[in-house]
Amino acid sequence: MPSNPYTPGQVPRILAGRAVEMRRIEGLLARVATYGELGGPLMVFHAPRGIGKTSLLRAAQRGAVEAGFVTAWVACSRQQPVLSAIAHSVGRALERADAVPAGTRWRGQLERLTVEVGLPGAKVQAEVSRKEAATAPPHAAIGMLESLLHDAAASVRGHGGAGLFLLLDELHTASADEMSVLLNTLQNLDGERTENPLATVAAGLPVTPEALTRAATFGERSTFVSLDVLSDDDARAALVAPAEAEGVTWTDGALAAVVTESRGYPYLLQLLGSTTWDAADPDTGTRLTLAHVKRGLPVARDQLAAMHRARWGAASRLEQRFLAAMAAAGDGNVTRAAIAAGMGVDSRAISVPRERLIEKGVIEPVGHGLVRFTLPGFGQFVRGLEDA
Ligand SMILES: Nc1ncnc2c1ncn2[C@@H]1O[C@H](COP(=O)(O)OP(=O)(O)O)[C@@H](O)[C@H]1O
Ligand SMILES: [Mg+2]
C-alpha cells in the first residue's frame, strides 16, 4: 500500500511551479560558480505564511548542493541572535564539507562573533545582547561577519567547491540592528566582489522589505521578490505529481474540486491532497475521486478551524477587535477606514494592531492601505465567533 505523499506543514516532496523564482536564484548561483564572485545583492522572497517560502529555499538549497556549493541554512528567530546563528551555521557547514579555513584564526573568529552578538540558546543573554547592540555601533560586528563570510566563501572555493550559499529563512524576526549589520556586511563584500564567492538568499513575511529598508537606507537595493499563490496548472501539478510517484491518479473532477477549494494556496493543496488520500486509502493503480475529496473535507476543515482558533487566541484583545471589524467588512480587501469605523475609532488609532497583525502574518497589506486575511476562511471563522 503506497503511503500518503502529501506534506501539509512540511517541505513538499515535489516543488510545483516556482520556475521563475528558481531561475532567479540559479542566476545568482551561476555567477558565483562561473566567476567565483559575489552573486549580486541580497535576494529576498516575501509572502504570508503557507505560500511556500521555506519550500522554495529548501529546493534551491538542494539544487545548490548538486551544483557543488556548500550551503548554510539559518532559521532566524526572535529567541536567538541572528548573527551568531549565522556564524554557527556557516561553521557547521564548513566542517561538514571539510572546508574549514587553514590556521587557528577561523575558530577564534567564529567564537568572537558568537560572543560579540550574544550566545545562542539563552534567551536572557539574547535580550541583553540586543539591548547592547542598540547602543553600541555595529562596526565591530560588521567587520567580524565580513571576514567570517569572506574566509568561509574563499575557503570553499579553495577546496574546489563552487562557493558558499547562505540561506536566511524567517528574516523578518531579525532586529533592525541585525539587519543593518547583515546589509552593511554584504555591501562591504560587494566592494571586493571578485574575492567573495558567496550568494545570499532570504525569505520572510511581507513586512521584510520595509524592515530592511528601514534598517539601512541601501537596504532598498536588495532584490525583493514576492511569492504568490500557485496558478491553476501549478496547483494541479502539486496534486498530481506526488500521487503519480506512488502510482495513483486523480480524476479531473476531483482535481478541479481541490484546485477551486484551495484557491492555489499551497498549504491548502497539501492539506486537501492529504485528506483526500486518507479518505481513499488507495492501492497502486487506483484513482482519487470527487467522493474521496468530499469525504476528506471535514477533516481538512477541522484542521483549518484549529489554525483559525490558534491565530485568534494569539491575538491581543485590541487585535481581536481589529480582526472582528475587518471580518465584518467582508472577505476581500478591506480599507483602513472601514476597520476604524467598525471599531468606532479614528483611522490613525489602528496602526499598532494593524502592524502587529501583519508581523504575525494573520493579515497582509495589499497596497493603498488595504489589508486582507492570509488564511482562507478566517473572516468567516471570526464572524462565527460569539464573543468577537
Ligand atoms: N511549490 C510548492 N509545491 C507544492 N507544495 C508546496 C509548494 N510550496 C509550498 N508547498 C506546501 O505548502 C505548505 C507551506 O509551505 P512553506 O514553504 O512552509 O510556506 P512558508 O514558508 O511560506 O510559510 C507546505 O505544506 C508545503 O508542503
Ligand atoms: Mg516558512
Side-chain angles (χ1 to χ4, degrees):
M1 177 96 34
S3 67
N4 190 329
Y6 297 101
T7 51
Q10 286 170 305
V11 173
R13 294 200 187 175
I14 298 169
L15 187 82
R18 306 299 188 217
V20 173
E21 292 82 3
M22 285 295 277
R23 264 205 300 280
R24 296 195 71 161
I25 300 175
E26 282 156 13
L28 290 188
L29 295 176
R31 213 149 117 189
V32 178
T34 309
Y35 304 110
E37 65 174 40
L38 196 79
L42 176 66
M43 184 172 285
V44 184
F45 293 93
H46 55 99
R49 261 177 238 302
I51 294 289
K53 301 177 294 296
T54 302
S55 302
L56 175 71
L57 261 54
R58 283 294 186 193
Q61 184 183 28
R62 277 198 302 275
V65 168
E66 276 163 28
F69 280 82
V70 169
T71 68
W73 179 278
V74 181
C76 305
S77 91
R78 292 189 208 286
Q79 267 67 53
Q80 192 187 25
V82 169
L83 303 178
S84 71
I86 293 175
H88 265 140
S89 176
V90 169
R92 269 202 318 275
L94 294 198
E95 273 158 21
R96 271 202 309 271
D98 252 334
V100 176
T104 51
R105 203 172 130 238
W106 168 256
R107 272 266 144 251
Q109 252 182 35
L110 261 184
E111 271 153 31
R112 271 192 13 251
L113 185 60
T114 306
V115 170
E116 176 82 9
V117 297
L119 297 166
K123 202 171 173 184
V124 178
Q125 265 155 332
E127 274 159 16
V128 169
S129 82
R130 267 168 205 278
K131 282 204 197 90
E132 281 171 356
T135 50
H139 296 299
I142 294 167
M144 278 188 280
L145 187 62
E146 189 183 332
S147 68
L148 177 99
L149 290 178
H150 165 77
D151 287 1
S155 172
V156 169
R157 195 84 184 171
H159 283 78
L164 180 67
F165 184 29
L166 179 62
L167 302 107
L168 307 168
D169 200 10
E170 309 267 329
L171 185 59
H172 59 271
T173 61
S175 69
D177 285 318
E178 290 168 332
M179 288 187 185
S180 162
V181 170
L182 179 70
L183 289 167
N184 275 283
T185 300
L186 293 176
Q187 170 96 339
N188 290 354
L189 291 173
D190 188 50
E192 290 174 14
R193 51 180 320 104
T194 55
E195 310 297 313
N196 294 298
L198 164 79
T200 311
V201 170
L205 291 176
V207 288
T208 319
E210 203 186 315
L212 283 167
T213 307
R214 262 204 310 259
T217 47
F218 53 82
E220 70 198 16
R221 282 183 228 152
S222 309
T223 309
F224 297 121
V225 187
S226 70
L227 276 189
D228 207 343
V229 294
L230 295 175
S231 70
D232 283 0
D233 278 349
D234 292 338
R236 273 191 291 272
L239 295 165
V240 169
E244 217 165 51
E246 302 286 331
V248 172
T249 53
W250 286 75
T251 65
D252 287 343
L255 268 187
V258 172
V259 169
T260 306
E261 178 80 16
S262 68
R263 276 162 289 169
Y265 189 70
Y267 173 77
L268 278 189
L269 284 165
Q270 294 292 344
L271 179 62
L272 291 165
S274 176
T275 57
T276 303
W277 182 282
D278 286 344
D281 200 13
D283 275 322
T284 306
T286 49
R287 312 196 89 179
L288 303 175
T289 66
L290 191 55
H292 297 136
V293 174
K294 286 186 178 149
R295 238 189 296 146
L297 267 182
V299 183
R301 294 215 168 107
D302 273 358
Q303 168 64 22
L304 269 186
M307 292 168 72
H308 292 149
R309 277 194 299 276
R311 288 188 178 194
W312 179 259
S316 72
R317 189 67 202 120
L318 181 63
E319 289 160 13
Q320 290 181 347
R321 282 179 51 215
F322 183 105
L323 294 171
M326 190 174 151
D331 283 323
N333 301 339
V334 183
T335 63
R336 219 172 225 282
I339 298 165
M343 293 172 75
V345 297
D346 188 88
S347 75
R348 274 163 305 186
I350 65 171
S351 295
V352 172
R354 183 178 180 276
E355 287 304 308
R356 286 298 296 141
L357 288 166
I358 291 172
E359 266 180 43
K360 289 180 180 176
V362 178
I363 64 174
E364 62 175 327
V366 285
H368 304 294
L370 295 162
V371 287
R372 69 178 174 206
F373 293 120
T374 57
L375 196 62
F378 192 71
Q380 202 185 351
F381 164 82
V382 172
R383 287 192 295 276
L385 287 169
E386 284 184 0
D387 59 350

